[in-house]
């Protein structure tokens, strides 16, 4: 039996887990936006297969699994501690050991973004958080039992939805365990394990051999009145790429710190994209990438630094700065919108608490041979949008526009893609948080291409007052207040004609 058949079958198991998780979940964030990821891991903790879901989840599995395995015995384990899981509190992980004929042979694991995991802010991504404890409930790796579910029920602000999503995650893992056992029955355990080894080695053989050199780049993320520097030295060696973030801004008393799992994911995503050919997502690929980041820096903070925004915004900038370094020796597009434009809302409506979370796409950067794409998610987010009909039927909001932000892409020989305008009116009192970026400096162009237009958020109060908001804020809306969100366009590529 050819190892490729077993390898593809293993990947399809991870994909099927994702399909079940999406269909069984209760929250629109998972059911509609597909903000989840699934993977298969061998007993040594090596990633052997991943479904192509959310970029920021994918690379973090490598970090999370190694951290969590010491806590896994014979039971399913739940966790969300970012300093273990490698992302942020909203990403609740579930890992299940796989036993075959009495022996531990593998693990199945998934992550899903829960809209609210407690804390003071709707959506549990707090623009004002200075520590982890102001973002939500921290779950260390623990056996998933009734006791931990009771704690979740009493601390997550939408417990029925959260518990339903956890059950969907458990069901996805159970599906994975069942399918793996069927795979072992059909092809034999040793044949499957050997196929996994061969797949990892095959992936290594597909990796590029770039010329040895050091490429430097820097980019910035906004925090209050400052721009925080992310500095990268990309050290290309014969058999690996080392991303050295020496010189990056120290960690801050705010939510933009990115744990090392996020940093690794962002670098991995950019490098995998730059390779520009099909590469299996397994340990073979991850062995090609090494990240060096000083502890206590913005891209490798010390606990209990707040990290909610690091996962969703700093991740974007880490990917951008990696692409910028890669552009010095590879054909790389200009910068995309560079923000997930995180919108978190919640409150009491019809005597019941509700919470809503979405990210809004923007323009992709112009490419070396064509324009960018308008109104898409780029880089570290790969989610779908929440349909207006679903949001309006579930929450006290009424959308007033959802369209392409014409003219927001940077000019150039090839034009950057345009961003999005999405606006809504509050139908009740609502707590609103937005955590975004690229409001001060638009996404960079390349080789003479102009920057894309920066993002913007405007609130029109029902009394006629107009407020121009910063990229990160918390406020309260009254019924009749309108929020207008404009996402950045992508950068242009090459000098404009004339």
């Amino acid at each position: 039996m050819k190892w490729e058949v077993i390898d593809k079958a293993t990947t399809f198991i991870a994909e099927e887990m994702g399909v079940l998780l999406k269909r069984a979940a209760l929250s629109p964030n998972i059911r509609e936006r597909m903000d989840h990821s699934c993977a298969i891991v061998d007993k040594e903790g090596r990633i052997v297969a991943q479904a192509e879901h959310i970029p920021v989840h994918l690379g973090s599995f490598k970090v999370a699994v190694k951290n969590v395995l010491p806590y896994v015995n014979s039971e399913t384990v739940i966790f969300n501690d970012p300093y273990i899981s490698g992302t942020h509190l909203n990403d609740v992980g579930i890992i299940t050991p796989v036993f075959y004929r009495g022996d531990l042979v593998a693990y199945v694991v998934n992550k899903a973004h829960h809209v609210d995991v407690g804390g003071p802010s709707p959506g549990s991504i707090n623009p004002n958080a200075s520590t982890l404890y102001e973002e939500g409930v921290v779950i260390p790796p623990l056996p998933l039992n009734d006791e931990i579910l009771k704690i979740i029920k009493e601390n997550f602000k939408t417990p029925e939805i959260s518990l339903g999503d956890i059950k969907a995650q458990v069901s996805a893992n159970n599906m994975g365990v069942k399918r793996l056992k069927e795979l072992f029955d059909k092809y034999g355990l040793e044949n499957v394990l050997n196929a996994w080894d061969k797949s990892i080695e095959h992936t290594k053989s597909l990796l590029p051999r770039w010329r040895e050199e050091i490429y430097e780049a820097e980019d910035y993320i906004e925090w209050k009145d400052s721009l925080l520097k992310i500095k990268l030295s990309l050290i290309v060696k014969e058999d690996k790429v080392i991303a050295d973030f020496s010189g990056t801004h120290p960690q801050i008393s705010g939510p933009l710190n990115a744990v090392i799992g996020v940093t690794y994911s962002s670098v991995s995503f950019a490098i995998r994209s730059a390779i520009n050919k099909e590469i299996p997502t397994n340990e073979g690929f991850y062995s090609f990438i090494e990240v060096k980041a000083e502890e206590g820096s913005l891209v490798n903070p010390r606990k209990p630094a707040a990290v909610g925004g690091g996962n969703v915004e700093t991740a974007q900038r880490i990917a951008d700065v990696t692409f910028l370094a890669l552009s010095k020796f590879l054909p790389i597009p200009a910068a995309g919108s560079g923000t997930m434009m995180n919108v978190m809302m919640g409150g009491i409506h019809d005597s019941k608490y509700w919470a809503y979370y979405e990210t809004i796409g923007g323009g992709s950067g112009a490419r070396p041979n064509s324009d960018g794409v308008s109104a898409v998610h780029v880089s570290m987010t790969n989610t779908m949008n929440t349909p207006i009909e679903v949001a309006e039927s579930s929450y006290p909001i009424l959308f007033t526009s959802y369209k392409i932000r014409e003219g927001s892409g940077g000019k150039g020989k090839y034009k950057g893609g345009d961003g999005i305008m999405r606006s809504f009116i509050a139908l009740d009192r609502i707590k609103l948080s937005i955590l975004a970026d690229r409001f001060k400096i638009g996404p960079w162009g390349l080789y003479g291409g102009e920057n894309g237009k920066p993002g913007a958020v405007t609130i029109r109060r029902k009394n006629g007052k107009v407020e121009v908001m910063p990229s990160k804020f918390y406020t309260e809306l009254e019924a009749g207040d309108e929020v207008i969100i404009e996402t950045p366009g992508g950068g242009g590529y090459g000098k404009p004609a004339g």
Side-chain angles (χ1 to χ4, degrees), residues 168-337:
Q169 291 181 258
V170 171
S171 296
N173 275 12
N174 290 342
M175 166 75 80
V177 172
K178 180 174 183 290
R179 292 288 186 256
L180 281 177
K181 289 180 177 179
E182 291 171 351
L183 193 69
F184 301 147
D185 287 339
K186 184 172 184 178
Y187 297 118
L189 177 61
E190 290 305 316
N191 286 333
V192 172
L193 298 182
N194 288 337
W196 290 352
D197 287 337
K198 290 179 180 177
S199 174
I200 290 171
E201 291 305 313
H202 173 68
T203 299
K204 291 180 180 179
S205 73
L206 298 174
L207 297 172
R209 293 293 182 263
W210 292 326
R211 182 170 62 88
E212 294 197 11
E213 188 61 80
I214 299 176
Y215 302 93
E216 296 190 342
E218 58 184 54
D219 208 334
Y220 300 86
I221 191 161
E222 303 163 11
W223 177 240
K224 298 182 178 178
D225 295 327
S226 301
L227 293 173
L228 310 182
K229 181 168 69 174
I230 299 176
K231 187 177 187 302
L232 173 63
S233 294
L234 197 69
I235 305 165
V236 179
K237 293 187 172 292
E238 182 180 354
D239 60 345
K240 69 166 52 179
V241 176
I242 302 170
D244 186 344
F245 287 91
S246 298
T248 291
H249 196 281
Q251 69 183 60
I252 63 170
S253 181
L256 296 181
N257 306 292
V259 293
I260 195 68
V262 166
T263 302
Y264 187 89
S265 289
S266 304
V267 172
S268 299
F269 165 77
I271 291 175
R272 186 173 179 220
S273 300
I275 291 173
N276 197 28
K277 65 179 179 180
E278 185 174 346
I279 299 285
T281 310
N282 61 31
E283 193 71 25
F285 167 68
Y286 291 133
S287 67
F288 184 60
I289 298 166
E290 180 181 340
V291 170
K292 293 183 177 180
E294 182 180 355
E295 188 177 4
S297 69
L298 191 67
V299 294
N300 186 17
R302 294 186 180 94
K303 194 175 183 178
V307 297
N311 182 84
V312 294
E313 290 301 316
T314 310
Q316 295 281 67
R317 200 62 66 251
I318 295 168
D320 280 349
V321 77
T322 307
F323 277 127
L324 188 57
L326 290 164
S327 73
K328 298 182 179 182
F329 68 103
L330 292 173
I332 298 295
S337 59

